[in-house]
Amino acid sequence: MLRKVFELCEGAGVKCQLNLERWMRCAIGICGSCAIGKFLVCKDGPVFSSEQLRQTAEFGKGAMLKSGKVVPIKEFALWRQ
Ligand code: FES
C-alpha cells in the first residue's frame, strides 16, 4: 500500500513522507535486519522522504519475513498464513 501511495504522490508531483516498517532485531543500526536499500529503518527512519524512497529500488517490491528471508510482495500473504 505504501508503494502505491508513493507512486500516486510521485505522479501528482507531491512530496511525501512515509513511515516504513521492518522486522528489527537490534534497533540501534548494528544487525542490518531492517535494511531497505542503503537505509536502515531503525537508524535512518522510520519516516522516509520522497527523495530517500526514490533511491530505494526495493521499496514495495518485497517483504522481509521474521526469519530474515525476503519474499516478493505478492507471495507475502501466503507466508503470513
Ligand atoms: S534493527 Fe538492527 S540494524 Fe536496524
Side-chain angles (χ1 to χ4, degrees):
M1 183 182 86
L2 290 178
R3 179 70 196 193
K4 202 63 175 174
V5 170
F6 173 68
E7 289 171 357
L8 288 169
C9 290
E10 288 288 283
V14 176
K15 290 182 179 179
C16 67
Q17 294 182 327
L18 298 176
N19 186 9
L20 304 187
E21 292 183 9
R22 285 286 197 189
W23 285 105
M24 294 187 193
R25 291 194 169 88
C26 72
I28 55 173
I30 296 173
C31 73
S33 69
C34 66
I36 180 163
K38 66 180 186 179
F39 300 109
L40 296 173
V41 174
C42 73
K43 187 176 172 192
D44 303 316
V47 178
F48 291 91
S49 66
S50 299
E51 292 79 16
Q52 289 173 308
L53 295 171
R54 271 186 228 115
Q55 300 169 38
T56 311
E58 66 186 67
F59 168 55
K61 304 270 169 63
M64 185 179 290
L65 304 178
K66 195 173 183 178
S67 67
K69 179 180 179 173
V70 177
V71 297
I73 201 76
K74 291 180 180 175
E75 295 177 21
F76 184 60
L78 300 173
W79 284 92
R80 292 180 68 186
Q81 296 175 0

